[in-house]
Amino acid sequence: MIWLASFPRSGNTFFRNVLFEVYGIESSEFHQQTAYSVAEDYDQYQVVKTHLLPHQVESIGDSIKSVYLVRDGRDSLVSLAHHRKDIMEPNSDFQINLLEAVIASKGSFFGGWSENVRQWKEKADVIIHFEDLISDPIGEVEKLRSIIDLPQPKRDKLPSFEDLKFGQPKYSLNRKSTNPKKQKERIQKFFRKGKVGSWKEEMSPEMEQLFWSLHGEVMTEMGYEDKKPKSYEGFLKPSVPYRVLIEANKLFIPERDGIKRYLFELLDNLAVLQDKLQPKWEIDLYCEGKIIQLEGEQKGLKEVVELIEVHNELQNQQQPYETRLLAMKTKVQKALPTAIYQSLSWFYKNLPIRYLLRKYRENIIQRKNFKNQPKFDNYDLVHIPLPQNFFHLKDVKQNFLVTVHDLTHKYFPEFHTKENILNAEAGMQETIKKEAHILAVTKASKKDVLKTYPTIKSEQVSVVHEACNRNHFKPLANIDQLAAILKKYQLPNTPYFLTLSTLEPRKNLLNTIKAFQKLVAESEKYNLSLFICGKNGWKNNELLEKDHLLDKNIFFTGFIDEEDLPILYSHALALCYVSFYEGFGLPPLEAMSCGTTVIYGNNSSMPEVIGEAGLAADPSDMDDIKNQMKKLLLNDEYRKDLEKKAIQRSYQFSWLKMAWETLCVYEKVIQKNKANNS
C-alpha cells in the first residue's frame, strides 16, 4: 500500500482513473469525514488516496511509501471554491469560498494549501506536478515504479479529461445521487476544467495578492517561482508595517446591539488576518484609555475580553453613570409634588439637559484618558466604528476612517431622543472636519451619506457589507430544544411570528402588532402567537399600552440570550422586521441564515440585503404587512421555497470577507494619504 496524497482539487481523482484504466489498479481512500464512511478494507488496496496531513495518517503506518500531487495553489483553490459552491454546499458564494480557502484559518482546509504541501513535501517519496500530469499522464504515473510494482501500461486505454467529465468514470464523487440525470450533472461539475492557469479568469488582483502573501514561499519552493507577480516582495514584506488604531470602547457597554456585534466580529476576524499577514499589519485597540495590541487567531480578543470582565466587575461595584442618574431622578420625583415634578420633567425632556450632562461626562473621560496617554502619531490610520464615539479620539491629529451605519437621526429624528440626534450629528460633523474616509455598511447607506452631506465626495466612501456568524446562526430543527427555550421565556408552543429589536419607534413594532391582530381576527383557528423580543428602548409608551400587554396572543420576552436566538429563528413562521429605516439590519440576515423568511420594510438597505429571499411590505400599511404574514401562514410550499432562498441569500455575506475588505480599504486609504503627503 502507498499513499496518494494531495491538497484537494490537485488531480488526485484524475490520477486514480488513469491508474485504473491504463494499469488496471484499483484504489481506495482514507479520510475523517462524517458524511460518508471509509471502506473497511481500504488498507488492502495498493493505492490509497488522502487529503489529510502526514501526522493524521501516521498511526496507520509511518513507514508507508507516499506520492504527493501538487498543483499551482491558485488553480487548486479556485477549483476548490467552485467544488464547494457546486457540490459540497450548493449555492454558496464562490468569492467567500475562495477567501476562506486562501486563508484557511485555524487549520481548516486540510491545513491550508501551503501547510499541506510543506508537510507532504518532507515525507513524500515521489512528487508529481499536476501540470506535468495533465501534459503526460502515463509518463508521470510511471514514476511510481520506484515505490510499487506497476504492470505494463495499456496506452490505448488512456482516458482524456473530457472522457471522464462526460463519461462514467470509475472514480469521481464520494456520494452518489439516486437520480441518474443529477448524478451526471454532478460528475460534470466535479471534473470542471482540468486546465492550467484557469485561476486567471476568476481570481481578482487583490485576491492574488492575498494568496502570494500567504503562500508565496511554498509556491517558490515547489517550482512556481516564475509565476509570482513582480510586486511580490513589496506586498509580502513592506519596509514598514501599516499601523492602525481602532477605537473599541463600544465593546464595554453591557447591552448587545448591532454596532457591538459589528465591532467584535471585525476585530475577531482582523486578528486572524493580521496573524496570517505578519509583518505587514500592526493593529491596536483603544479601550478605556488604554492601547491594546490585537493578538493573532490563537488568542484573538483574549486580552480585550479579560479587560471587559474587569470593567464589568468595577461597574457592578461602582454604579454606572446612567444608573446613578436614574436613581437621582427617582429621588427627585419622590421628594417633589407631582405637579412640580411634571413641570421639571418637561424641561428635562425638551431641553438639551441630557446632552449637556453627557458632554460633561465625555470631557471628564477625555481628561482622564489623555492624562497619561501614549503617543498616537505613529499610526497610519485611526478607525472609529461609530460616529457617536468620535469624542474619544477627536483631539488625535491623524488620518481617520469612520464606519457610518445609518443616518436615522437625519431621516427620522422623531424616532430619536434629542441627545441621540445631537451626538450622532456631532460625530458626522467631526467626520467631515477631519476629512475622514467613510466605510458605509450598504450601498443604500453610501447613497444617504452623499445625499445628506454634499461636501463628502463619492470616492471618500467605500461600501463593505456586514454579515452574520453562520457557524452560530444555522437551521436547528430540534423540537426538544425549542420546548426548553419556550419554557425559559414563558412562551406558548404555538405557531408564531417573531420580532427582534430594541423596543423603539423606528422598528415599527406598533404597526406589526396591529397587522398581526388583524391576521388573528381572520385566522383564529391557527392559534397564532407574536413574540416581541428585545430590550426596552425609548419613546415606546404607545407600544406598551395595556391592550397590547393583555393580548393573549402577544408576548413581550425582553432580552433574548445569544445562544437561544437560532432556535427561535429556526422555528418561526417569519421574522417580522418592517422597519421604517435600516442601515443594514443584522437580525434579518441571522434569521435567513437559520432558514427563516423575513417580512421586511420596502425601504433603505433592506431590499439590498434581503431581496427576493423575503417579502417586502409597506411599513405604513398594516394590511400589506398582514397580507405578507397571511401568505406564509396559508401556503407551506411557498414558505418553504422562500426559506431555501433565505439560506442561499445568507451565503453571500461573511464576517471574514467583511474584515478582509475592510483591510483592503485601510490599505487603499493609507497609500493614498502617503502619496498626498509625499
Side-chain angles (χ1 to χ4, degrees), residues 15-64:
F15 195 102
R16 293 175 70 195
N17 279 293
V18 172
L19 271 178
F20 176 73
E21 298 291 347
V22 178
Y23 295 88
I25 295 177
E26 294 190 53
S27 56
S28 187
E29 60 182 294
F30 182 79
H31 57 78
Q32 294 178 341
Q33 301 292 323
T34 56
Y36 56 98
S37 59
V38 175
E40 292 184 3
D41 63 343
Y42 75 90
D43 56 353
Q44 301 303 307
Y45 289 78
Q46 273 187 284
V47 177
V48 180
K49 162 192 170 180
T50 190
H51 297 312
L52 298 174
L53 296 170
H55 72 270
Q56 294 173 309
V57 298
E58 282 178 355
S59 60
I60 298 165
D62 58 7
S63 62
I64 297 174

Short mmCIF file of all heavy atoms in Angstrom, two decimals, residues 15-64:
data_model
loop_
_atom_site.label_atom_id
_atom_site.label_comp_id
_atom_site.label_asym_id
_atom_site.label_seq_id
_atom_site.Cartn_x
_atom_site.Cartn_y
_atom_site.Cartn_z
N PHE A 15 -5.74 11.09 -11.49
CA PHE A 15 -4.64 10.14 -11.33
C PHE A 15 -5.17 8.74 -11.07
O PHE A 15 -4.71 7.75 -11.68
CB PHE A 15 -3.75 10.60 -10.17
CG PHE A 15 -2.40 9.93 -10.13
CD1 PHE A 15 -1.26 10.60 -10.58
CD2 PHE A 15 -2.25 8.65 -9.64
CE1 PHE A 15 -0.01 10.00 -10.53
CE2 PHE A 15 -1.01 8.04 -9.59
CZ PHE A 15 0.12 8.71 -10.04
N ARG A 16 -6.16 8.63 -10.17
CA ARG A 16 -6.73 7.32 -9.83
C ARG A 16 -7.41 6.67 -11.03
O ARG A 16 -7.32 5.45 -11.23
CB ARG A 16 -7.74 7.47 -8.69
CG ARG A 16 -7.13 7.89 -7.37
CD ARG A 16 -8.22 8.12 -6.34
NE ARG A 16 -8.85 6.89 -5.93
CZ ARG A 16 -10.00 6.82 -5.25
NH1 ARG A 16 -10.65 7.94 -4.96
NH2 ARG A 16 -10.49 5.65 -4.91
N ASN A 17 -8.09 7.46 -11.86
CA ASN A 17 -8.75 6.91 -13.04
C ASN A 17 -7.74 6.44 -14.08
O ASN A 17 -7.96 5.43 -14.76
CB ASN A 17 -9.69 7.96 -13.64
CG ASN A 17 -11.03 8.01 -12.91
OD1 ASN A 17 -11.81 7.06 -12.96
ND2 ASN A 17 -11.28 9.10 -12.21
N VAL A 18 -6.62 7.17 -14.21
CA VAL A 18 -5.56 6.72 -15.12
C VAL A 18 -4.97 5.40 -14.63
O VAL A 18 -4.75 4.46 -15.42
CB VAL A 18 -4.46 7.80 -15.25
CG1 VAL A 18 -3.27 7.25 -16.05
CG2 VAL A 18 -5.01 9.05 -15.92
N LEU A 19 -4.74 5.31 -13.32
CA LEU A 19 -4.23 4.05 -12.75
C LEU A 19 -5.16 2.88 -13.06
O LEU A 19 -4.72 1.78 -13.41
CB LEU A 19 -4.09 4.19 -11.23
CG LEU A 19 -2.78 4.70 -10.65
CD1 LEU A 19 -2.89 4.80 -9.14
CD2 LEU A 19 -1.61 3.80 -11.04
N PHE A 20 -6.46 3.13 -12.95
CA PHE A 20 -7.43 2.05 -13.15
C PHE A 20 -7.55 1.69 -14.63
O PHE A 20 -7.49 0.50 -15.00
CB PHE A 20 -8.80 2.49 -12.61
CG PHE A 20 -9.89 1.48 -12.88
CD1 PHE A 20 -9.94 0.28 -12.16
CD2 PHE A 20 -10.84 1.71 -13.86
CE1 PHE A 20 -10.93 -0.65 -12.43
CE2 PHE A 20 -11.84 0.78 -14.12
CZ PHE A 20 -11.88 -0.41 -13.40
N GLU A 21 -7.72 2.69 -15.50
CA GLU A 21 -7.96 2.41 -16.91
C GLU A 21 -6.71 1.90 -17.62
O GLU A 21 -6.79 0.99 -18.46
CB GLU A 21 -8.45 3.69 -17.61
CG GLU A 21 -9.76 4.25 -17.08
CD GLU A 21 -10.96 3.36 -17.40
OE1 GLU A 21 -10.83 2.46 -18.24
OE2 GLU A 21 -12.04 3.59 -16.81
N VAL A 22 -5.56 2.44 -17.33
CA VAL A 22 -4.34 2.12 -18.07
C VAL A 22 -3.57 0.96 -17.43
O VAL A 22 -2.97 0.14 -18.13
CB VAL A 22 -3.43 3.37 -18.16
CG1 VAL A 22 -2.12 3.05 -18.87
CG2 VAL A 22 -4.16 4.49 -18.89
N TYR A 23 -3.61 0.87 -16.08
CA TYR A 23 -2.81 -0.15 -15.38
C TYR A 23 -3.66 -1.21 -14.68
O TYR A 23 -3.13 -2.17 -14.14
CB TYR A 23 -1.91 0.52 -14.34
CG TYR A 23 -0.85 1.42 -14.94
CD1 TYR A 23 -1.13 2.76 -15.20
CD2 TYR A 23 0.41 0.92 -15.26
CE1 TYR A 23 -0.17 3.59 -15.75
CE2 TYR A 23 1.38 1.75 -15.81
CZ TYR A 23 1.09 3.08 -16.06
OH TYR A 23 2.04 3.88 -16.61
N GLY A 24 -4.97 -1.00 -14.65
CA GLY A 24 -5.85 -1.97 -14.02
C GLY A 24 -5.74 -1.97 -12.50
O GLY A 24 -6.12 -2.96 -11.85
N ILE A 25 -5.22 -0.88 -11.90
CA ILE A 25 -5.03 -0.82 -10.45
C ILE A 25 -6.19 -0.06 -9.80
O ILE A 25 -6.42 1.12 -10.10
CB ILE A 25 -3.69 -0.13 -10.10
CG1 ILE A 25 -2.52 -0.98 -10.60
CG2 ILE A 25 -3.58 0.11 -8.60
CD1 ILE A 25 -1.17 -0.36 -10.37
N GLU A 26 -6.92 -0.77 -8.96
CA GLU A 26 -7.98 -0.12 -8.20
C GLU A 26 -7.38 0.55 -6.96
O GLU A 26 -6.36 0.12 -6.44
CB GLU A 26 -9.04 -1.13 -7.78
CG GLU A 26 -9.82 -1.73 -8.95
CD GLU A 26 -11.01 -2.54 -8.49
OE1 GLU A 26 -11.84 -2.00 -7.71
OE2 GLU A 26 -11.12 -3.72 -8.88
N SER A 27 -8.05 1.59 -6.49
CA SER A 27 -7.56 2.32 -5.32
C SER A 27 -8.71 2.61 -4.37
O SER A 27 -9.88 2.52 -4.74
CB SER A 27 -6.89 3.64 -5.74
OG SER A 27 -7.79 4.42 -6.51
N SER A 28 -8.35 2.96 -3.16
CA SER A 28 -9.36 3.32 -2.16
C SER A 28 -9.00 4.70 -1.61
O SER A 28 -8.14 5.39 -2.17
CB SER A 28 -9.41 2.27 -1.03
OG SER A 28 -10.49 2.54 -0.16
N GLU A 29 -9.66 5.10 -0.53
CA GLU A 29 -9.34 6.40 0.07
C GLU A 29 -9.50 6.34 1.58
O GLU A 29 -10.22 5.49 2.13
CB GLU A 29 -10.22 7.50 -0.52
CG GLU A 29 -11.71 7.31 -0.32
CD GLU A 29 -12.51 8.41 -1.00
OE1 GLU A 29 -12.38 9.57 -0.55
OE2 GLU A 29 -13.24 8.12 -1.95
N PHE A 30 -8.81 7.26 2.24
CA PHE A 30 -8.88 7.36 3.70
C PHE A 30 -9.12 8.82 4.06
O PHE A 30 -8.46 9.72 3.54
CB PHE A 30 -7.58 6.87 4.33
CG PHE A 30 -7.60 6.92 5.83
CD1 PHE A 30 -8.25 5.94 6.56
CD2 PHE A 30 -7.00 7.97 6.53
CE1 PHE A 30 -8.30 5.99 7.94
CE2 PHE A 30 -7.05 8.02 7.91
CZ PHE A 30 -7.69 7.02 8.62
N HIS A 31 -10.09 9.05 4.94
CA HIS A 31 -10.46 10.42 5.31
C HIS A 31 -11.04 10.41 6.72
O HIS A 31 -11.12 9.38 7.39
CB HIS A 31 -11.50 10.97 4.32
CG HIS A 31 -12.74 10.12 4.22
ND1 HIS A 31 -13.74 10.15 5.17
CD2 HIS A 31 -13.13 9.21 3.29
CE1 HIS A 31 -14.69 9.31 4.83
NE2 HIS A 31 -14.35 8.72 3.70
N GLN A 32 -11.42 11.57 7.18
CA GLN A 32 -12.03 11.71 8.51
C GLN A 32 -13.39 12.38 8.41
O GLN A 32 -13.88 12.97 9.37
CB GLN A 32 -11.10 12.53 9.42
CG GLN A 32 -9.79 11.83 9.73
CD GLN A 32 -8.86 12.67 10.59
OE1 GLN A 32 -9.00 13.88 10.70
NE2 GLN A 32 -7.87 12.02 11.21
N GLN A 33 -14.01 12.30 7.25
CA GLN A 33 -15.33 12.90 7.05
C GLN A 33 -16.40 12.08 7.79
O GLN A 33 -16.29 10.86 7.92
CB GLN A 33 -15.68 12.96 5.56
CG GLN A 33 -14.70 13.75 4.73
CD GLN A 33 -14.74 15.23 5.05
OE1 GLN A 33 -15.80 15.78 5.32
NE2 GLN A 33 -13.60 15.86 5.04
N THR A 34 -17.44 12.76 8.22
CA THR A 34 -18.55 12.06 8.88
C THR A 34 -19.71 11.84 7.91
O THR A 34 -20.60 11.03 8.18
CB THR A 34 -19.07 12.88 10.08
OG1 THR A 34 -19.44 14.20 9.64
CG2 THR A 34 -17.99 13.00 11.15
N ALA A 35 -19.72 12.56 6.78
CA ALA A 35 -20.84 12.46 5.84
C ALA A 35 -20.86 11.12 5.11
O ALA A 35 -21.90 10.66 4.66
CB ALA A 35 -20.78 13.61 4.84
N TYR A 36 -19.71 10.49 4.97
CA TYR A 36 -19.65 9.17 4.33
C TYR A 36 -18.49 8.40 4.97
O TYR A 36 -17.55 8.97 5.51
CB TYR A 36 -19.48 9.28 2.81
CG TYR A 36 -18.29 10.07 2.37
CD1 TYR A 36 -17.10 9.44 2.00
CD2 TYR A 36 -18.34 11.47 2.30
CE1 TYR A 36 -16.00 10.17 1.60
CE2 TYR A 36 -17.24 12.21 1.89
CZ TYR A 36 -16.08 11.55 1.54
OH TYR A 36 -14.98 12.27 1.14
N SER A 37 -18.59 7.08 4.91
CA SER A 37 -17.66 6.24 5.67
C SER A 37 -16.45 5.81 4.83
O SER A 37 -16.47 5.84 3.61
CB SER A 37 -18.39 4.99 6.18
OG SER A 37 -18.93 4.25 5.10
N VAL A 38 -15.42 5.38 5.54
CA VAL A 38 -14.22 4.81 4.92
C VAL A 38 -14.45 3.32 4.72
O VAL A 38 -15.00 2.64 5.58
CB VAL A 38 -12.99 5.03 5.83
CG1 VAL A 38 -11.76 4.34 5.25
CG2 VAL A 38 -12.73 6.51 6.02
N ALA A 39 -14.05 2.81 3.56
CA ALA A 39 -14.18 1.37 3.29
C ALA A 39 -13.37 0.58 4.32
O ALA A 39 -12.23 0.94 4.62
CB ALA A 39 -13.71 1.06 1.88
N GLU A 40 -13.98 -0.47 4.85
CA GLU A 40 -13.30 -1.25 5.91
C GLU A 40 -12.01 -1.88 5.41
O GLU A 40 -11.07 -2.08 6.18
CB GLU A 40 -14.25 -2.32 6.44
CG GLU A 40 -15.44 -1.75 7.21
CD GLU A 40 -16.32 -2.84 7.81
OE1 GLU A 40 -15.96 -4.04 7.66
OE2 GLU A 40 -17.34 -2.51 8.41
N ASP A 41 -11.96 -2.23 4.13
CA ASP A 41 -10.77 -2.90 3.59
C ASP A 41 -9.87 -1.95 2.79
O ASP A 41 -9.13 -2.38 1.91
CB ASP A 41 -11.20 -4.07 2.70
CG ASP A 41 -11.99 -3.61 1.47
OD1 ASP A 41 -12.49 -2.46 1.48
OD2 ASP A 41 -12.12 -4.40 0.51
N TYR A 42 -9.93 -0.67 3.11
CA TYR A 42 -9.16 0.30 2.33
C TYR A 42 -7.67 -0.04 2.30
O TYR A 42 -6.97 0.19 1.31
CB TYR A 42 -9.36 1.72 2.89
CG TYR A 42 -8.62 1.99 4.18
CD1 TYR A 42 -7.33 2.49 4.17
CD2 TYR A 42 -9.20 1.70 5.41
CE1 TYR A 42 -6.64 2.72 5.34
CE2 TYR A 42 -8.52 1.93 6.59
CZ TYR A 42 -7.24 2.43 6.55
OH TYR A 42 -6.55 2.65 7.72
N ASP A 43 -7.16 -0.61 3.42
CA ASP A 43 -5.72 -0.88 3.51
C ASP A 43 -5.31 -2.12 2.71
O ASP A 43 -4.13 -2.49 2.69
CB ASP A 43 -5.29 -1.01 4.96
CG ASP A 43 -6.09 -2.06 5.72
OD1 ASP A 43 -7.07 -2.60 5.16
OD2 ASP A 43 -5.74 -2.35 6.88
N GLN A 44 -6.26 -2.77 2.04
CA GLN A 44 -5.94 -3.92 1.21
C GLN A 44 -5.64 -3.51 -0.23
O GLN A 44 -5.26 -4.34 -1.06
CB GLN A 44 -7.11 -4.92 1.22
CG GLN A 44 -7.47 -5.44 2.60
CD GLN A 44 -6.29 -6.10 3.29
OE1 GLN A 44 -5.66 -7.00 2.72
NE2 GLN A 44 -5.98 -5.64 4.49
N TYR A 45 -5.81 -2.23 -0.53
CA TYR A 45 -5.55 -1.73 -1.87
C TYR A 45 -4.09 -1.30 -2.00
O TYR A 45 -3.45 -0.91 -1.02
CB TYR A 45 -6.46 -0.53 -2.18
CG TYR A 45 -7.92 -0.91 -2.38
CD1 TYR A 45 -8.74 -1.18 -1.30
CD2 TYR A 45 -8.47 -0.99 -3.67
CE1 TYR A 45 -10.07 -1.52 -1.48
CE2 TYR A 45 -9.80 -1.33 -3.85
CZ TYR A 45 -10.60 -1.59 -2.76
OH TYR A 45 -11.91 -1.93 -2.94
N GLN A 46 -3.59 -1.35 -3.24
CA GLN A 46 -2.21 -0.92 -3.49
C GLN A 46 -2.04 0.59 -3.28
O GLN A 46 -1.00 1.04 -2.81
CB GLN A 46 -1.81 -1.26 -4.94
CG GLN A 46 -1.24 -2.65 -5.12
CD GLN A 46 -0.72 -2.83 -6.52
OE1 GLN A 46 -1.47 -2.99 -7.48
NE2 GLN A 46 0.59 -2.80 -6.68
N VAL A 47 -3.08 1.34 -3.65
CA VAL A 47 -3.02 2.80 -3.61
C VAL A 47 -4.20 3.33 -2.81
O VAL A 47 -5.35 2.92 -3.05
CB VAL A 47 -3.03 3.41 -5.03
CG1 VAL A 47 -3.03 4.93 -4.97
CG2 VAL A 47 -1.84 2.90 -5.84
N VAL A 48 -3.94 4.24 -1.86
CA VAL A 48 -5.00 4.84 -1.05
C VAL A 48 -4.87 6.36 -1.11
O VAL A 48 -3.84 6.92 -0.74
CB VAL A 48 -4.92 4.36 0.43
CG1 VAL A 48 -6.04 5.00 1.25
CG2 VAL A 48 -5.02 2.84 0.50
N LYS A 49 -5.93 6.98 -1.58
CA LYS A 49 -5.98 8.45 -1.69
C LYS A 49 -6.24 9.08 -0.32
O LYS A 49 -7.00 8.57 0.48
CB LYS A 49 -7.09 8.85 -2.66
CG LYS A 49 -7.53 10.30 -2.55
CD LYS A 49 -8.82 10.55 -3.32
CE LYS A 49 -9.39 11.93 -3.01
NZ LYS A 49 -10.64 12.20 -3.74
N THR A 50 -5.61 10.24 -0.07
CA THR A 50 -5.92 11.01 1.13
C THR A 50 -5.58 12.49 0.91
O THR A 50 -4.69 12.82 0.11
CB THR A 50 -5.16 10.48 2.36
OG1 THR A 50 -5.67 11.12 3.54
CG2 THR A 50 -3.67 10.77 2.26
N HIS A 51 -6.33 13.35 1.61
CA HIS A 51 -6.01 14.77 1.65
C HIS A 51 -5.49 15.16 3.03
O HIS A 51 -5.13 16.32 3.24
CB HIS A 51 -7.24 15.62 1.34
CG HIS A 51 -7.79 15.42 -0.04
ND1 HIS A 51 -7.00 15.43 -1.16
CD2 HIS A 51 -9.06 15.20 -0.48
CE1 HIS A 51 -7.75 15.23 -2.23
NE2 HIS A 51 -9.00 15.09 -1.85
N LEU A 52 -5.47 14.21 3.94
CA LEU A 52 -5.05 14.50 5.31
C LEU A 52 -3.56 14.80 5.37
O LEU A 52 -2.79 14.45 4.47
CB LEU A 52 -5.39 13.32 6.22
CG LEU A 52 -6.87 12.96 6.35
CD1 LEU A 52 -7.03 11.69 7.17
CD2 LEU A 52 -7.66 14.10 6.97
N LEU A 53 -3.15 15.43 6.46
CA LEU A 53 -1.73 15.72 6.68
C LEU A 53 -1.00 14.45 7.13
O LEU A 53 -1.64 13.53 7.67
CB LEU A 53 -1.60 16.82 7.73
CG LEU A 53 -2.18 18.19 7.34
CD1 LEU A 53 -2.21 19.11 8.54
CD2 LEU A 53 -1.39 18.81 6.20
N PRO A 54 0.32 14.39 6.95
CA PRO A 54 1.06 13.17 7.29
C PRO A 54 0.83 12.68 8.72
O PRO A 54 0.65 11.47 8.95
CB PRO A 54 2.52 13.58 7.08
CG PRO A 54 2.46 14.64 6.04
CD PRO A 54 1.20 15.40 6.31
N HIS A 55 0.82 13.58 9.70
CA HIS A 55 0.67 13.13 11.08
C HIS A 55 -0.72 12.56 11.35
O HIS A 55 -0.92 11.83 12.33
CB HIS A 55 0.95 14.30 12.05
CG HIS A 55 -0.12 15.35 12.07
ND1 HIS A 55 -0.09 16.45 11.24
CD2 HIS A 55 -1.25 15.46 12.82
CE1 HIS A 55 -1.14 17.21 11.48
NE2 HIS A 55 -1.87 16.64 12.43
N GLN A 56 -1.67 12.86 10.46
CA GLN A 56 -3.02 12.34 10.64
C GLN A 56 -3.17 10.91 10.11
O GLN A 56 -4.19 10.27 10.36
CB GLN A 56 -4.04 13.26 9.96
CG GLN A 56 -4.13 14.64 10.61
CD GLN A 56 -5.01 15.59 9.83
OE1 GLN A 56 -4.84 15.77 8.61
NE2 GLN A 56 -5.95 16.20 10.51
N VAL A 57 -2.18 10.44 9.37
CA VAL A 57 -2.25 9.07 8.84
C VAL A 57 -1.10 8.19 9.34
O VAL A 57 -1.05 7.00 9.03
CB VAL A 57 -2.24 9.08 7.29
CG1 VAL A 57 -3.45 9.82 6.76
CG2 VAL A 57 -0.95 9.68 6.74
N GLU A 58 -0.21 8.78 10.14
CA GLU A 58 0.97 8.02 10.59
C GLU A 58 0.61 6.86 11.50
O GLU A 58 1.33 5.87 11.58
CB GLU A 58 1.95 8.95 11.30
CG GLU A 58 2.78 9.79 10.32
CD GLU A 58 3.71 10.75 11.02
OE1 GLU A 58 3.65 10.83 12.27
OE2 GLU A 58 4.49 11.43 10.33
N SER A 59 -0.52 6.95 12.21
CA SER A 59 -0.92 5.86 13.11
C SER A 59 -1.20 4.57 12.34
O SER A 59 -1.15 3.48 12.89
CB SER A 59 -2.17 6.27 13.90
OG SER A 59 -3.24 6.54 13.03
N ILE A 60 -1.50 4.71 11.05
CA ILE A 60 -1.76 3.53 10.22
C ILE A 60 -0.44 2.86 9.83
O ILE A 60 -0.39 1.68 9.55
CB ILE A 60 -2.57 3.95 8.97
CG1 ILE A 60 -3.91 4.52 9.41
CG2 ILE A 60 -2.77 2.79 8.01
CD1 ILE A 60 -4.64 5.27 8.34
N GLY A 61 0.62 3.61 9.84
CA GLY A 61 1.94 3.08 9.48
C GLY A 61 2.84 4.18 8.99
O GLY A 61 2.63 4.69 7.89
N ASP A 62 3.82 4.56 9.80
CA ASP A 62 4.66 5.70 9.43
C ASP A 62 5.72 5.35 8.40
O ASP A 62 6.44 6.22 7.92
CB ASP A 62 5.31 6.31 10.67
CG ASP A 62 6.14 5.32 11.46
OD1 ASP A 62 6.33 4.19 10.96
OD2 ASP A 62 6.60 5.68 12.55
N SER A 63 5.82 4.07 8.03
CA SER A 63 6.81 3.68 7.03
C SER A 63 6.19 3.48 5.65
O SER A 63 6.87 3.06 4.72
CB SER A 63 7.51 2.38 7.47
OG SER A 63 6.56 1.33 7.57
N ILE A 64 4.90 3.76 5.51
CA ILE A 64 4.22 3.58 4.23
C ILE A 64 4.76 4.59 3.22
O ILE A 64 4.89 5.78 3.51
CB ILE A 64 2.69 3.75 4.40
CG1 ILE A 64 2.14 2.66 5.32
CG2 ILE A 64 1.98 3.70 3.05
CD1 ILE A 64 0.67 2.82 5.66
#
